[in-house]
Amino acid sequence: MNRHLSDNALGVKDMEQQPKARGKRFTLNGALWSLQVLFGFFFAGSGFGKVLLYDGALYAAAPRAVAWYAAVPQSLIVFIGICEVLGGVGMILPAMTGVKPKLTPLAAVGLALTMILAAVFHIMRGEYALVPANLLLGGVAAFIAVGRWKLRPIAPAILTTSRALKSLAVLGALTLLVFVPTWYTMTNVQF
């Protein structure tokens, strides 16, 4: 702790304890948590939209909104969606609960690989405008993977009631803010 000297009313110097500045560790950890939550929600939502394409009617209408869906079998799109949902949730919950926190960087690696494969797919189809987004998403996922694997790993912990409730709150927020609007939009809006 940092110590500061101060004069009291009698002119005697006291030593006061000041909290240590958080510096780079807080900045990196805070940045990683922010990215994990933001991109976890993004990937889970994007993936959930693909999972909904298991419905034949939605799958038939989807290429009008997203051209590359026409070039990919329905089962592959649904599989990619499941991977993205699990990867998005995996970037948040294992680290938050402390239960198997090594799953967080593994989820990020899986999402980075998915984005690299997506970039290659779009290059092969000549859809160059989509490649920068794939590379950005993959780069952020790779940064999270390295950050949580080497730079600021999360230590395993016992699942407490508090952590379980926080995780349920995150799943509730994910459901209300991402899954329900995605489901509503895809089932009630014409492409």
Side-chain angles (χ1 to χ4, degrees):
M1 294 215 154
N2 296 334
R3 296 174 186 258
H4 290 281
L5 296 177
S6 64
D7 291 329
N8 62 17
L10 299 173
V12 179
K13 295 189 183 224
D14 297 333
M15 291 183 67
E16 296 177 21
Q17 297 288 331
Q18 296 293 325
K20 188 184 236 184
R22 294 191 176 197
K24 289 185 181 180
R25 286 181 50 183
F26 174 77
T27 303
L28 180 58
N29 192 45
L32 285 169
W33 270 114
S34 297
L35 292 172
Q36 282 173 248
V37 171
L38 181 67
F39 282 81
F41 271 57
F42 172 81
F43 277 112
S46 173
F48 187 69
K50 292 175 182 83
V51 170
L52 290 176
L53 296 180
Y54 75 88
D55 182 306
L58 289 176
Y59 176 71
R64 288 193 295 268
V66 181
W68 67 265
Y69 284 173
V72 179
Q74 181 180 13
S75 58
L76 181 57
I77 292 174
V78 172
F79 175 74
I80 292 167
I82 290 168
C83 292
E84 287 181 355
V85 168
L86 293 175
V89 171
M91 283 207 299
I92 302 169
L93 290 187
M96 179 179 281
T97 62
V99 176
K100 303 288 184 187
K102 288 292 183 188
L103 292 176
T104 293
L106 291 177
V109 166
L111 291 171
L113 179 61
T114 302
M115 290 298 102
I116 291 168
L117 293 172
V120 170
F121 172 78
H122 291 304
I123 289 170
M124 289 174 39
R125 286 180 42 88
E127 298 169 332
Y128 301 111
L130 299 174
V131 174
N134 294 137
L135 295 178
L136 174 68
L137 292 168
V140 171
F143 175 74
I144 292 169
V146 170
R148 287 299 177 207
W149 196 269
K150 294 283 183 191
L151 303 176
R152 293 289 292 149
I154 302 289
I158 297 170
L159 182 61
T160 62
T161 303
S162 170
R163 287 187 176 132
L165 290 174
K166 286 179 189 175
S167 297
L168 288 174
V170 168
L171 289 174
L174 195 59
T175 300
L176 292 174
L177 298 174
V178 178
F179 295 158
V180 170
T182 301
W183 169 80
Y184 180 81
T185 301
M186 290 191 65
T187 57
N188 292 305
V189 175
Q190 297 297 319
F191 292 110

